[in-house]
Amino acid sequence: MNILKYFNQTLMMPFTGGLIVMFIFAACSENLSTSPDPSISNNEVQSQASLASQISPNNVVELIAKHEGDDYIFELSADVIPSGWTTFRLINDSHSTHFAYMAGVPQAAKDSAASDNTELLDYWIQHVTNPFQWFMDGIIPGKEPDDGDAPTKYAETLFPAWFGDVSPSGGPGFIGGMSSTETTVYLDEGEYIVECYVKNGEGDFHSYLGMIELLTVTGESSVAEEPVATTELNISTDGIEFDRHISAGEHIVKVNFDDQTLYDHLLGHDVHLIRMDTGTSVAEVGKWMNWMDPDGLVSSSSANSLGPATFLGGVQTMTEGSHGYFHVELEPGRYAWVSEIPNPHSNKMLEVFNVPGGRALGR
Ligand SMILES: [Cu+2]
């Protein structure tokens, strides 16, 4: 089921002054990851004919997350890539937690941007990022919205009708400060928004502060092969199912999205791995996973609030029936799989497990 359409059709939220807001969110897609390979080139415009030869055989895109003053940014090693299995290596060059969610842009959005004579990324920011920030500003006690004209602009709908057709396409999960992670997904030809909507200490989404880019996937096919998993994890509305006897060592985790739905925070489920360091509280983690909570999804080095846990990556929301791959090296210790949904522990989506000492077979 297209959960965006479901959301579009079913969820209407009353707002102040009789404002009726249609709130939609995208939630799924195809993700997979492969082995490390640094060579996807640069941001230069490349002709479609020569693209494949300039990108590494494993079709790896590096995303560097960093802060520059008050701005949060992504630097992409390539912004035009061939279609197929694509590994995103998210390098967090900051002390805050970040992720990189891929949202497939529907044709209607491209058409509207063109008729507005507006660049697609700018059009998205105007019609999705800014309304979300305005909505968030209204939730945070005492916060003055940046955009005071928003209630007039959003008088009929908060988001455009095409938002229900956005295709959630996975991407790297939450990764803690000064660390990196890899996730592989299958991307079809199209335009994709790459964004992080973790919040800073003032409740501003990182995407609103600049951590949002456009990725073009061409019709040319990559030669990258689908990764070979060492273990599998299934996520559905019944919870997260996985091998509790996973061994230490390098792993490629195949994450299967058996179904998908919209939760109270208007998003679907995804999967992230956290290290249960001493003092990590399951209750605090659970509360943090809801972006609608004023303190949820806040990670800010300046506010001395980096979040309740050390995140190691994962697979962002994907559509029912799709799958992605998450690469991780597990050291012996205590971990948890968690989904970015409200109250994940009560939905069997905050599952603690232990990795015993020793190495994975064959390693
Ligand atoms: Cu971020």
Side-chain angles (χ1 to χ4, degrees):
M1 175 177 66
N2 182 326
I3 66 171
L4 293 179
K5 282 185 176 171
Y6 170 81
F7 182 77
N8 199 9
Q9 291 163 2
T10 57
L11 188 56
M12 299 286 285
M13 300 179 66
F15 256 73
T16 55
L19 182 68
I20 300 298
V21 178
M22 180 169 286
F23 208 157
I24 314 163
F25 215 89
C28 319
S29 170
E30 286 262 327
N31 284 16
L32 295 179
S33 62
T34 73
S35 59
D37 185 331
S39 42
I40 275 200
S41 45
N42 49 47
N43 287 321
E44 295 173 5
V45 175
Q46 302 167 10
S47 74
Q48 197 161 318
S50 64
L51 190 62
S53 62
Q54 295 184 40
I55 291 184
S56 69
N58 284 332
N59 210 20
V60 177
V61 177
E62 286 191 351
L63 302 162
I64 301 175
K66 58 167 70 171
H67 305 174
E68 286 188 352
D70 292 334
D71 293 334
Y72 287 57
I73 61 173
F74 274 142
E75 284 182 358
L76 276 62
S77 61
D79 53 12
V80 181
I81 62 170
S83 60
W85 291 107
T86 308
T87 295
F88 291 97
R89 179 181 300 139
L90 176 56
I91 301 166
N92 188 351
D93 190 21
S94 79
H95 293 283
S96 304
T97 293
H98 297 286
F99 62 82
Y101 168 63
M102 311 284 155
V105 181
Q107 186 60 46
K110 300 177 207 171
D111 294 343
S112 297
S115 64
D116 263 22
N117 203 23
T118 304
E119 293 289 334
L120 184 55
L121 179 58
D122 291 337
Y123 185 81
W124 179 283
I125 290 170
Q126 289 171 20
H127 293 274
V128 178
T129 309
N130 292 350
F132 261 107
Q133 187 60 56
W134 179 77
F135 179 84
M136 191 70 239
D137 290 346
I139 292 175
I140 298 175
K143 192 172 193 296
E144 288 291 324
D146 273 358
D147 189 351
D149 295 332
T152 304
K153 286 194 296 190
Y154 308 140
E156 294 183 1
T157 59
L158 187 54
F159 298 106
W162 54 256
F163 194 58
D165 292 324
V166 170
S167 177
S169 301
F174 292 91
I175 180 72
M178 307 309 290
S179 302
S180 62
T181 185
E182 290 188 11
T183 296
T184 304
V185 298
Y186 190 96
L187 293 180
D188 290 316
E189 180 180 6
E191 302 289 336
Y192 294 82
I193 294 293
V194 184
E195 69 163 329
C196 173
Y197 55 85
V198 170
K199 295 181 287 187
N200 72 358
E202 288 73 49
D204 290 336
F205 293 115
H206 294 175
S207 50
Y208 185 71
L209 300 170
M211 195 166 271
I212 184 168
E213 294 292 339
L214 189 67
L215 176 70
T216 299
V217 177
T218 73
E220 187 178 7
S221 296
S222 149
V223 297
E225 295 183 356
E226 182 170 358
V228 177
T230 60
T231 187
E232 293 199 27
L233 178 153
N234 291 62
I235 183 164
S236 72
T237 47
D238 292 332
I240 296 173
E241 296 180 6
F242 62 103
D243 180 6
R244 289 184 177 274
H245 303 291
I246 191 168
S247 55
E250 291 184 19
H251 282 282
I252 298 176
V253 183
K254 182 180 182 183
V255 175
N256 300 299
F257 289 80
D258 291 345
D259 67 10
Q260 191 53 272
T261 191
L262 286 172
Y263 297 84
D264 289 346
H265 69 336
L266 312 177
L267 294 168
H269 47 238
D270 56 7
V271 175
H272 310 275
L273 183 66
I274 59 176
R275 200 174 62 221
M276 296 295 290
D277 298 322
T278 302
T280 300
S281 158
V282 166
E284 284 184 31
V285 170
K287 187 173 188 297
W288 192 84
M289 301 309 294
N290 184 359
W291 69 268
M292 283 190 179
D293 188 301
D295 298 323
L297 254 57
V298 170
S299 182
S300 167
S301 49
S302 59
N304 200 23
S305 174
L306 295 174
T310 299
F311 283 88
L312 302 172
V315 180
Q316 288 286 329
T317 310
M318 300 179 72
T319 48
E320 176 178 342
S322 55
H323 62 278
Y325 294 87
F326 165 48
H327 304 254
V328 64
E329 179 162 3
L330 291 173
E331 296 177 351
R334 192 163 175 79
Y335 297 84
W337 294 110
V338 61
S339 183
E340 185 210 325
I341 64 166
N343 306 312
H345 43 290
S346 59
N347 286 277
K348 298 182 181 177
M349 290 195 190
L350 206 177
E351 297 288 310
V352 178
F353 64 100
N354 291 309
V355 173
R359 305 293 295 174
L361 288 174
R363 302 269 177 185

